Amino acid sequence: GAGVSQSPRYKVAKRGQDVALRCDPISGHVSLFWYQQALGQGPEFLTYFQNEAQLDKSGLPSDRFFAERPEGSVSTLKIQRTQQEDSAVYLCASSLGRTQFFGPGTRLTVL
Amino acid sequence: GDSVTQMEGPVTLSEEACLTINCTYTATGYPSLFWYVQYPGEGLQLLLKATKADDKGSNKGFEATYRKETTSFHLEKGSVQVSDSAVYFCARVPSDPGSNYKLTFGKGTLLTVNP
């Protein structure tokens, strides 16, 4: 079956641009997570959805980061006015219980 | 708060050598424990997991045992292959019924296996 997919796989943005990253979870998975992985580090939690409800956004680093999942399936992570420190791999994961399955990630480079 | 500490890398081994990557976790409640693997240019893949004390997770020749007394979940393999070269992440998820199951990861350990 299909796993978690993310698009685009690579994104280059100029500082100050807005970007939108998409995640298609495994069909039927209620929970969806976003993580940020800096180079050489482990992933860090950003935000969590249960169906369409965003239940935890404590990991979002600033108010420039915004995530949504309006119909409880596809999710979009939006970063406004990108900064160089936003350069990272953004990972999406979905789950039914405690085990999360990850997508391939989107590598964002801000110049 | 929740944290995971794993052995710093990089680790370089010859094919067929034994592997141990140490991982310890903070003992808040009774978390579920995971090892994820990240091959070059790919996303995270679940390697194995254990959900309670004394459980042993195993997959592809890798094993890890959930040790409550030492708060550890060390990854082991008896004979590594070149294809095992990757970054390995230890992670935990809270067990509280009201938690959102967000993963807390270690920093990762880069393993390189030479022929």
Side-chain angles (χ1 to χ4, degrees):
Chain A
V4 178
S5 61
Q6 293 185 245
S7 61
R9 291 292 311 277
Y10 302 91
K11 177 69 179 177
V12 178
K14 292 184 179 177
R15 191 160 54 98
Q17 281 184 333
D18 298 349
V19 298
L21 313 180
R22 177 187 168 107
C23 172
D24 282 84
I26 294 171
S27 178
H29 278 194
V30 169
S31 299
L32 185 146
F33 299 80
W34 284 97
Y35 294 85
Q36 181 189 59
Q37 186 178 18
L39 189 65
Q41 300 295 315
E44 297 275 347
F45 169 80
L46 292 177
T47 188
Y48 160 67
F49 290 86
Q50 187 173 85
N51 295 306
E52 69 279 4
Q54 188 175 21
L55 299 184
D56 186 344
K57 53 182 181 179
S58 62
L60 296 176
S62 78
D63 59 8
R64 297 186 294 104
F65 286 70
F66 171 76
E68 60 184 5
R69 193 185 185 197
E71 297 178 358
S73 178
V74 170
S75 177
T76 304
L77 176 66
K78 297 180 180 178
I79 309 173
Q80 297 177 323
R81 304 181 303 282
T82 53
Q83 304 294 315
Q84 283 190 320
E85 61 263 28
D86 300 334
S87 296
V89 175
Y90 291 86
L91 296 167
C92 175
S94 70
S95 73
L96 274 176
R98 297 185 190 184
T99 302
Q100 294 178 30
F101 297 91
F102 283 80
T106 295
R107 181 177 297 278
L108 172 64
T109 303
V110 182
L111 303 177
Chain B
D2 295 345
S3 68
V4 172
T5 303
Q6 66 180 97
M7 190 170 86
E8 298 265 340
V11 174
T12 303
L13 296 173
S14 297
E15 206 164 23
E16 299 184 5
C18 294
L19 169 71
T20 299
I21 300 177
N22 291 335
C23 171
T24 57
Y25 63 92
T26 50
T28 307
Y30 299 95
S32 292
L33 302 172
F34 302 83
W35 278 99
Y36 281 86
V37 58
Q38 191 170 37
Y39 297 103
E42 299 185 15
L44 287 168
Q45 296 179 25
L46 177 65
L47 181 59
L48 53 83
K49 66 178 183 180
T51 57
K52 61 183 188 297
D54 300 324
D55 267 3
K56 177 185 283 189
S58 61
N59 186 25
K60 299 181 181 179
F62 290 90
E63 292 183 340
T65 301
Y66 190 139
R67 301 280 188 205
K68 181 168 172 283
E69 62 277 12
T70 54
T71 62
S72 64
F73 192 55
H74 304 323
L75 183 68
E76 299 176 324
K77 187 173 187 182
S79 176
V80 293
Q81 306 300 312
V82 172
S83 57
D84 294 327
S85 298
V87 180
Y88 292 81
F89 292 94
C90 185
R92 60 165 282 161
V93 146
S95 61
D96 317 342
S99 76
N100 66 18
Y101 299 150
K102 67 183 180 187
L103 283 161
T104 300
F105 286 88
K107 291 188 175 182
T109 302
L110 173 63
L111 170 67
T112 302
V113 181
N114 295 318

